[in-house]
Amino acid sequence: MTKTANITIDGKTVDLPVKSGVIGPDVVDIGKLYAQTGAFTYDPGFMSTASCESAITYIDGDQGVLLYRGYPIEQLAEHGDFLETCYLLLEGDLPNAAQKADFDYRVTRHTMVHEQMARFHQGFRRDAHPMAVMVGCVGAMAAFYHDSTDINDPYQRMVASMRMIAKMPTLAAMAYKYTVGQPFVYPKNDLDYTSNFLRMCYAVPCEEYQVNPIISRALDRIFILHADHEQNASTSTVRLAGSSGANPFACIAAGIACLWGPAHGGANEAALAMLAEIGDVRNIPDFISRVKDKKDHTRLMGFGHRVYKNYDPRAKLMQQTCHQVLRELGVKDDPLLDVAMELERIALSDEYFIERKLYPNVDFYSGITLKAMGFPVSMFTVLFAVARTVGWISQWKEMIQDPAQKIGRPRQLYIGSPPRDYIPVSKRA
Ligand code: CMC
């Protein structure tokens, strides 16, 4: 049965089609509302607005469910690896053994970056934030890989996708090496994706670097947890940038810029800074009072989510991974972990957080985990960007292939001056 909604504006009623997805809330299609009534809808922050159709990721925020192409995140994190998750997001299904071997091979063969990229880095200050370096270098990829910027050519789109997934760890490791003043380490193709990344970050020319398989597996799982999250701010940025026909490297650079903000991917850095600022479990009550004080503007970083009004399923997995990594590295007492666990316990039993349905999100435990792995705080959001690249690319590709795709062009409610005449400067008061 076709559903419709109706709306009455100034006495005129129009019927609006209602569309149903496979699961999740219906959407009211308001595409023709302006033509029929002369009115726009108003929804700052997209609180009730679906911006596209998508078959990639599904979130049920009330139940704490996250599915990639229908598969629960818990199963992928437990049994899958990051590259097969990439294949799944990009192609729509898990690869069979031959497809997996071929995909892994192709990604691995794209890991090197143009040698001039190394010289491009020299233009940055040594103390540049690695996210600033990433925004610049990923945008610059359009200049180095011009032969994969024609968005209308499916082959070029595929090559750009492979390049981006494969080269992002190399660029991320270069951004890190540059800030610590160490030589760049070339990728090594006999290593898996995540081990290769760890080696590019931590190897030095004067000694062999042994990848710890437990740490590599833990980081691979962290990558899986961050790989996609439907129409979040950075993904919507990528789609909006791409809707004008911009090349994929420019679109992903735009996504990285958006991810950097503390309300989004920058929250992992901000959460660790917050735990360090609290410093001791005895300071938690004071901190919680500041968070609850409306005049203070302090937020509990790594808590709350626009969509999850129940425990973020990624946070549960991240907490397990955190304990596993600390155990493996022999970190017996991490004061930041003590603060985090006590903060979580107190917040989850506090009326302020219960009422607002605020739970830990993926960023609450990721900082502690990445810090234990040896990453400086400034690299946390870079690691998020490495993992999210496949999500951005998959969503961008889906958008380009969607026959309904149009340039993204929101409207506005104008609240400025009414029309007025120009006054020569000599006559202005
Ligand atoms: N600490 C304290 N209060 C909070 C928090 C928080 N982290 N988050 C929301 N609130 C309160 C907020 O003050 C408001 O209260 P009131 O109704 O009394 O004014 C209420 O909860 C609703 O908040 P909102 O800002 O309207 O909610 P939102 O959906 O617009 O914001 C959010 C979602 C993620 C931006 C927000 O929860 C937040 O700033 N969290 C901290 C930053 C963070 O951890 N971000 C990572 C998100 S997960 C990773 C990712 O996707 O990037």
Side-chain angles (χ1 to χ4, degrees), residues 47 229 232 259 262-267 291 294 298-307 309 312 314 352-353 356 358 361-363 384 388:
M47 301 297 289
H229 215 224
N232 57 85
L259 186 75
H264 192 9
V291 169
K294 285 279 160 212
T298 300
R299 283 203 166 193
L300 183 49
M301 300 312 283
F303 250 72
H305 198 274
R306 170 62 61 78
V307 183
K309 300 300 169 199
D312 178 343
R314 304 168 302 170
Y352 175 95
F353 296 91
R356 291 169 180 77
L358 299 170
N361 60 49
V362 69
D363 290 321
F384 194 153
R388 184 55 59 83

Side-chain angles (χ1 to χ4, degrees), residues 139-280:
M141 281 173 84
F144 289 100
Y145 302 101
H146 201 258
D147 59 349
S148 52
T149 52
D150 179 356
I151 63 156
N152 298 314
D153 177 349
Y155 178 75
Q156 291 200 29
R157 289 204 298 267
M158 185 275 290
V159 174
S161 307
M162 299 304 275
R163 281 180 166 154
M164 216 107 56
I165 294 167
K167 294 182 199 307
M168 203 59 83
T170 314
L171 289 176
M174 287 170 90
Y176 169 61
K177 286 296 199 190
Y178 188 72
T179 57
V180 289
Q182 290 180 4
F184 298 137
V185 175
Y186 288 107
K188 204 162 184 287
N189 286 355
D190 56 0
L191 291 176
D192 65 75
Y193 188 86
T194 305
S195 302
N196 200 3
F197 175 60
L198 283 168
R199 185 179 166 277
M200 286 190 286
C201 287
Y202 296 126
V204 284
C206 41
E207 62 183 60
E208 260 315 300
Y209 176 78
Q210 292 299 330
V211 178
N212 177 332
I214 294 182
I215 298 303
S216 172
R217 174 69 190 130
L219 186 58
D220 201 72
R221 184 173 300 133
I222 293 174
F223 286 165
I224 295 173
L225 298 183
H226 287 85
D228 194 45
H229 215 224
E230 51 118 305
Q231 309 311 319
N232 57 85
S234 57
T235 301
S236 299
T237 302
V238 170
R239 279 186 177 257
L240 196 56
S243 77
S244 73
N247 73 71
F249 303 106
C251 297
I252 301 301
I256 296 175
C258 177
L259 186 75
W260 196 357
H264 192 9
N268 51 16
E269 186 173 336
L272 198 85
M274 174 195 75
L275 295 176
E277 186 197 325
I278 298 172
D280 191 293

Side-chain angles (χ1 to χ4, degrees), residues 318-338:
M318 185 58 84
Q319 194 197 41
Q320 289 164 9
T321 305
C322 179
H323 286 295
Q324 203 176 19
V325 166
L326 296 187
R327 208 178 315 121
E328 173 61 19
L329 296 175
V331 181
K332 293 224 167 43
D333 302 301
D334 182 341
L336 295 188
L337 182 65
D338 295 343

